[in-house]
Amino acid sequence: MMSKSDRMLDEKNKTIRWLTIIIGLLIAGLIHAHMMVANMPKEWSFWTPPNIDAGGKSKIGLIPDVEAYNFSFLIFANINTWLNDGDKEYPKKLQQFKYYMSETYASKLKKEYEQDQGSYRNRLRSVEFVPKADGTPKYSVRPIDRNKFEVEAVLRVKDSISGTVIFDEERRYFFTVRSAYVPRRNNPWQMKIVGEYQRYTLEKKRV
């Protein structure tokens, strides 16, 4: 039969063994976590439409210049494409894409719509990029801060009512785009159009 001192010593040894096992598991976990961090990709690949064979690589956490253009064109074109009636579609688009714009810019567009609501009735609109001779879009991007850009893009905007073309123009737009940390379910791009830092200018009048 074990004495009281022997039992205490045995319990002490058991405790030490368990603590040793736990410390070993924690060290193994730290080593595994370190290896995962060390092996994380430092770059990610992207492709640029319309030719998806063209693209490049960028460091994780940094937005490449071309992605700022891709994003601003995609969002602006979606908001300003009306297939049936701009008076109904435009406000719905502003609501649908609100997470892709700053609150100030979204409010500005909504106010403009409300002030001139009648002109949107039965209006159809299409937006497309204007290609250069090699087929790539006419645009330029200037970084102004980390993950913040000024984007110039030449876009063709065409409006019609009841089959009659109101205007068909190539316009140069000026967007400010920045990174935005919002829930990915609302905005997987993690970017926002802050606004237009200059009013668009007319490049070419088609109609």
Side-chain angles (χ1 to χ4, degrees), residues 9 20 27 33 54-55 62 65 71 73 76 82 84 92 97 118 138 143 160 171 193-194 198 201:
L9 182 61
T20 301
I27 292 173
L62 289 179
D65 293 1
F71 170 76
F73 168 70
F76 182 82
W82 315 327
N84 297 296
K92 289 182 179 179
F97 290 94
K138 290 183 179 180
S160 62
R171 301 172 175 178
I193 298 178
V194 178
Q198 179 181 326
T201 58

CSV table of all heavy atoms in Angstrom, one decimal, residues 9 20 27 33 54-55 62 65 71 73 76 82 84 92 97 118 138 143 160 171 193-194 198 201:
chain,number,residue,atom,x,y,z
A,9,LEU,N,3.6,12.1,-4.7
A,9,LEU,CA,4.6,12.1,-5.7
A,9,LEU,C,4.2,11.5,-7.0
A,9,LEU,O,4.5,12.1,-8.1
A,9,LEU,CB,5.8,11.3,-5.2
A,9,LEU,CG,7.1,11.3,-6.1
A,9,LEU,CD1,7.6,12.7,-6.3
A,9,LEU,CD2,8.2,10.4,-5.5
A,20,THR,N,3.6,18.0,-20.0
A,20,THR,CA,4.6,17.8,-21.0
A,20,THR,C,3.9,17.5,-22.4
A,20,THR,O,4.3,18.0,-23.4
A,20,THR,CB,5.6,16.7,-20.6
A,20,THR,OG1,6.2,17.0,-19.4
A,20,THR,CG2,6.6,16.5,-21.7
A,27,ILE,N,3.5,23.2,-29.1
A,27,ILE,CA,4.7,23.5,-29.9
A,27,ILE,C,4.5,23.0,-31.3
A,27,ILE,O,4.8,23.6,-32.3
A,27,ILE,CB,6.0,22.8,-29.3
A,27,ILE,CG1,6.3,23.6,-28.0
A,27,ILE,CG2,7.1,22.9,-30.3
A,27,ILE,CD1,7.4,22.9,-27.2
A,33,ALA,N,1.5,26.1,-37.7
A,33,ALA,CA,1.0,27.4,-38.1
A,33,ALA,C,2.0,28.2,-38.8
A,33,ALA,O,1.8,28.9,-39.8
A,33,ALA,CB,0.4,28.2,-36.9
A,54,ALA,N,-4.3,37.6,-71.6
A,54,ALA,CA,-3.4,38.7,-71.0
A,54,ALA,C,-3.7,38.9,-69.5
A,54,ALA,O,-4.8,38.8,-69.1
A,54,ALA,CB,-3.6,40.0,-71.8
A,55,GLY,N,-2.7,39.1,-68.8
A,55,GLY,CA,-2.9,39.2,-67.3
A,55,GLY,C,-1.5,39.5,-66.7
A,55,GLY,O,-0.6,40.0,-67.3
A,62,LEU,N,-2.4,43.9,-52.4
A,62,LEU,CA,-2.2,45.1,-53.2
A,62,LEU,C,-3.1,44.9,-54.5
A,62,LEU,O,-3.1,43.9,-55.1
A,62,LEU,CB,-0.7,45.3,-53.6
A,62,LEU,CG,0.2,45.7,-52.6
A,62,LEU,CD1,1.6,45.8,-53.1
A,62,LEU,CD2,-0.2,47.1,-52.0
A,65,ASP,N,-3.1,47.9,-60.9
A,65,ASP,CA,-3.8,49.0,-61.5
A,65,ASP,C,-4.9,48.6,-62.4
A,65,ASP,O,-6.0,49.2,-62.4
A,65,ASP,CB,-2.7,49.8,-62.4
A,65,ASP,CG,-1.7,50.5,-61.5
A,65,ASP,OD1,-1.8,50.3,-60.3
A,65,ASP,OD2,-0.8,51.1,-62.1
A,71,PHE,N,-12.8,47.0,-62.3
A,71,PHE,CA,-13.9,47.2,-61.4
A,71,PHE,C,-14.7,48.4,-61.7
A,71,PHE,O,-16.0,48.3,-61.8
A,71,PHE,CB,-13.3,47.3,-60.0
A,71,PHE,CG,-14.3,47.8,-58.9
A,71,PHE,CD1,-15.2,46.9,-58.4
A,71,PHE,CD2,-14.3,49.1,-58.5
A,71,PHE,CE1,-16.1,47.3,-57.5
A,71,PHE,CE2,-15.2,49.5,-57.6
A,71,PHE,CZ,-16.1,48.6,-57.0
A,73,PHE,N,-15.2,50.0,-64.5
A,73,PHE,CA,-15.9,49.8,-65.7
A,73,PHE,C,-17.1,48.8,-65.5
A,73,PHE,O,-18.3,49.1,-65.9
A,73,PHE,CB,-15.1,49.2,-66.9
A,73,PHE,CG,-15.9,48.7,-68.0
A,73,PHE,CD1,-16.5,49.6,-68.9
A,73,PHE,CD2,-16.0,47.4,-68.3
A,73,PHE,CE1,-17.3,49.2,-70.0
A,73,PHE,CE2,-16.7,46.9,-69.4
A,73,PHE,CZ,-17.4,47.8,-70.2
A,76,PHE,N,-19.8,50.6,-63.2
A,76,PHE,CA,-20.5,51.7,-63.9
A,76,PHE,C,-21.3,51.2,-65.1
A,76,PHE,O,-22.5,51.7,-65.3
A,76,PHE,CB,-19.4,52.7,-64.5
A,76,PHE,CG,-20.0,53.9,-65.2
A,76,PHE,CD1,-20.4,55.0,-64.4
A,76,PHE,CD2,-20.0,53.9,-66.5
A,76,PHE,CE1,-20.9,56.1,-65.1
A,76,PHE,CE2,-20.6,55.1,-67.2
A,76,PHE,CZ,-21.0,56.1,-66.5
A,82,TRP,N,-29.7,49.9,-69.2
A,82,TRP,CA,-31.1,49.8,-69.0
A,82,TRP,C,-31.7,49.1,-70.2
A,82,TRP,O,-31.6,49.7,-71.3
A,82,TRP,CB,-31.7,51.2,-68.7
A,82,TRP,CG,-30.9,52.0,-67.8
A,82,TRP,CD1,-30.2,51.6,-66.7
A,82,TRP,CD2,-30.8,53.4,-67.8
A,82,TRP,NE1,-29.6,52.6,-66.1
A,82,TRP,CE2,-30.0,53.8,-66.7
A,82,TRP,CE3,-31.3,54.4,-68.7
A,82,TRP,CZ2,-29.6,55.1,-66.5
A,82,TRP,CZ3,-30.9,55.7,-68.4
A,82,TRP,CH2,-30.1,56.1,-67.3
A,84,ASN,N,-35.0,48.1,-70.6
A,84,ASN,CA,-36.4,48.4,-70.9
A,84,ASN,C,-36.9,49.8,-70.6
A,84,ASN,O,-37.5,50.4,-71.4
A,84,ASN,CB,-37.3,47.3,-70.2
A,84,ASN,CG,-37.0,45.9,-70.6
A,84,ASN,OD1,-37.3,45.6,-71.8
A,84,ASN,ND2,-36.5,45.1,-69.7
A,92,LYS,N,-33.3,50.9,-59.2
A,92,LYS,CA,-33.0,49.5,-58.7
A,92,LYS,C,-31.5,49.2,-58.8
A,92,LYS,O,-31.0,48.6,-57.9
A,92,LYS,CB,-33.8,48.5,-59.6
A,92,LYS,CG,-35.3,48.5,-59.3
A,92,LYS,CD,-36.0,47.5,-60.1
A,92,LYS,CE,-37.6,47.5,-59.8
A,92,LYS,NZ,-38.3,46.5,-60.7
A,97,PHE,N,-26.3,48.0,-56.4
A,97,PHE,CA,-24.8,48.2,-56.4
A,97,PHE,C,-24.4,49.2,-55.3
A,97,PHE,O,-23.2,49.7,-55.4
A,97,PHE,CB,-24.4,48.6,-57.8
A,97,PHE,CG,-24.5,47.5,-58.8
A,97,PHE,CD1,-25.6,47.4,-59.6
A,97,PHE,CD2,-23.5,46.6,-58.9
A,97,PHE,CE1,-25.7,46.4,-60.5
A,97,PHE,CE2,-23.6,45.6,-59.9
A,97,PHE,CZ,-24.7,45.5,-60.7
A,118,GLY,N,-38.1,62.5,-64.8
A,118,GLY,CA,-38.9,62.3,-66.0
A,118,GLY,C,-38.1,62.0,-67.2
A,118,GLY,O,-38.6,61.3,-68.1
A,138,LYS,N,-9.4,51.7,-73.9
A,138,LYS,CA,-8.7,52.9,-73.7
A,138,LYS,C,-8.9,53.4,-72.3
A,138,LYS,O,-10.0,53.8,-71.9
A,138,LYS,CB,-9.4,54.0,-74.7
A,138,LYS,CG,-9.0,53.8,-76.1
A,138,LYS,CD,-9.6,55.0,-77.0
A,138,LYS,CE,-9.3,54.8,-78.4
A,138,LYS,NZ,-9.9,55.9,-79.2
A,143,PRO,N,-2.1,55.5,-59.5
A,143,PRO,CA,-2.2,55.3,-58.1
A,143,PRO,C,-1.9,56.6,-57.3
A,143,PRO,O,-1.0,57.4,-57.6
A,143,PRO,CB,-1.0,54.3,-57.8
A,143,PRO,CG,-0.7,53.7,-59.1
A,143,PRO,CD,-1.0,54.8,-60.1
A,160,SER,N,-31.5,55.6,-76.1
A,160,SER,CA,-32.6,55.7,-77.1
A,160,SER,C,-33.9,55.6,-76.4
A,160,SER,O,-34.0,55.1,-75.3
A,160,SER,CB,-32.4,54.5,-78.1
A,160,SER,OG,-32.5,53.3,-77.4
A,171,ARG,N,-17.3,58.9,-74.3
A,171,ARG,CA,-17.0,59.9,-73.3
A,171,ARG,C,-15.8,59.4,-72.4
A,171,ARG,O,-15.6,58.2,-72.2
A,171,ARG,CB,-18.2,60.0,-72.3
A,171,ARG,CG,-19.5,60.5,-73.0
A,171,ARG,CD,-20.6,60.5,-72.1
A,171,ARG,NE,-21.9,61.0,-72.6
A,171,ARG,CZ,-23.0,61.0,-71.9
A,171,ARG,NH1,-23.1,60.5,-70.7
A,171,ARG,NH2,-24.1,61.6,-72.5
A,193,ILE,N,-16.2,52.6,-55.8
A,193,ILE,CA,-16.0,53.8,-56.6
A,193,ILE,C,-16.3,54.9,-55.6
A,193,ILE,O,-17.4,55.1,-55.1
A,193,ILE,CB,-16.9,53.9,-57.8
A,193,ILE,CG1,-16.6,52.8,-58.8
A,193,ILE,CG2,-16.8,55.2,-58.5
A,193,ILE,CD1,-17.6,52.8,-60.0
A,194,VAL,N,-15.3,55.8,-55.3
A,194,VAL,CA,-15.5,56.9,-54.4
A,194,VAL,C,-16.3,58.0,-55.0
A,194,VAL,O,-17.1,58.6,-54.4
A,194,VAL,CB,-14.1,57.4,-53.9
A,194,VAL,CG1,-14.3,58.6,-53.0
A,194,VAL,CG2,-13.3,56.3,-53.3
A,198,GLN,N,-13.8,64.3,-61.7
A,198,GLN,CA,-14.0,65.4,-62.8
A,198,GLN,C,-15.2,64.9,-63.6
A,198,GLN,O,-15.4,63.7,-63.8
A,198,GLN,CB,-12.7,65.5,-63.7
A,198,GLN,CG,-12.8,66.5,-64.8
A,198,GLN,CD,-11.5,66.5,-65.6
A,198,GLN,OE1,-10.4,66.3,-65.1
A,198,GLN,NE2,-11.7,66.7,-66.9
A,201,THR,N,-15.8,64.1,-70.1
A,201,THR,CA,-15.6,65.0,-71.3
A,201,THR,C,-15.9,64.2,-72.6
A,201,THR,O,-15.8,63.0,-72.6
A,201,THR,CB,-14.1,65.4,-71.4
A,201,THR,OG1,-13.3,64.3,-71.5
A,201,THR,CG2,-13.7,66.3,-70.2
